Amino acid sequence: MTDAWRPIAATLADEGRRLAWARIVLGAANRSPVQVSALTARAQREVRALERAGLVTVVDGAVEPADPFTPLLGHRPAASGIDRFVREGRIAVWPKRPGDRAALLAWAIDRALPAGDGASEAAVTERLAAITDDPATLRRDLVDARLLEREADGSAYRRP
């Protein structure tokens, strides 16, 4: 675990800095940013300490609150598109909606078999195994969706 939280906690442990930070955050919420030039020497020292801890930024003489907490907590923006179903290049969750399922199948075929390419059953299965735990089911789903065509004897596959 990282110790990146320590400077923030140490800075906010000081009551004067905590109150200064609260004034800055409330000023930003009320659209009346604090100007460094309007601060006392002590308040300017507190702002510099808050800035070193990543709690505020000073832009054109105005003090603005920063968000050091989101990176500390490891929050990421909500996934969209097929990223909702893929983790580290592998299918983690199968979508329920037909449109999402079609998008995921299109993503899978693009990774497993380039357009106009063909391969043996073993090669296709091996390529699909790189992106899913169940390559046989994915292969059947791709055939059912007409994104992959199978030879009559099942020995080879190609993209239509």
Side-chain angles (χ1 to χ4, degrees):
M1 178 177 226
T2 179
D3 287 339
W5 59 271
R6 288 186 180 276
I8 295 167
T11 301
L12 293 176
D14 179 89
E15 184 178 2
R17 292 175 183 166
R18 192 170 53 249
L19 289 173
W21 185 62
R23 283 188 208 102
I24 292 165
V25 170
L26 290 173
N30 293 326
R31 297 180 189 231
S32 54
V34 175
Q35 296 294 319
V36 175
S37 60
L39 298 174
T40 65
R42 180 178 177 180
Q44 288 180 13
R45 284 192 304 275
E46 289 170 345
V47 166
R48 285 193 297 273
L50 293 168
E51 190 175 24
R52 281 191 305 273
L55 289 162
V56 300
T57 58
V58 178
V59 179
D60 296 328
V63 184
E64 299 175 1
D67 178 17
F69 304 108
T70 299
L72 285 176
L73 297 173
H75 287 238
R76 295 178 194 93
S80 62
I82 64 155
D83 291 339
R84 295 174 293 161
F85 313 110
V86 176
R87 306 284 183 280
E88 297 177 8
R90 294 180 57 81
I91 298 171
V93 178
W94 283 97
K96 293 180 182 174
R97 291 189 207 153
D100 291 336
R101 191 172 183 84
L104 186 63
L105 290 173
W107 173 86
I109 194 65
D110 286 342
R111 269 134 197 87
L113 206 59
D117 197 7
S120 69
E121 179 188 12
V124 170
T125 301
E126 183 179 328
R127 293 175 189 179
L128 294 175
I131 60 171
T132 185
D133 292 334
D134 190 355
T137 299
L138 178 55
R139 189 181 63 231
R140 279 191 298 273
D141 288 346
L142 291 168
V143 170
D144 290 346
R146 296 192 168 115
L147 296 172
L148 190 61
E149 291 179 345
R150 180 175 48 197
E151 291 293 324
D153 63 359
S155 63
Y157 292 82
R158 68 180 177 289
R159 285 193 61 175

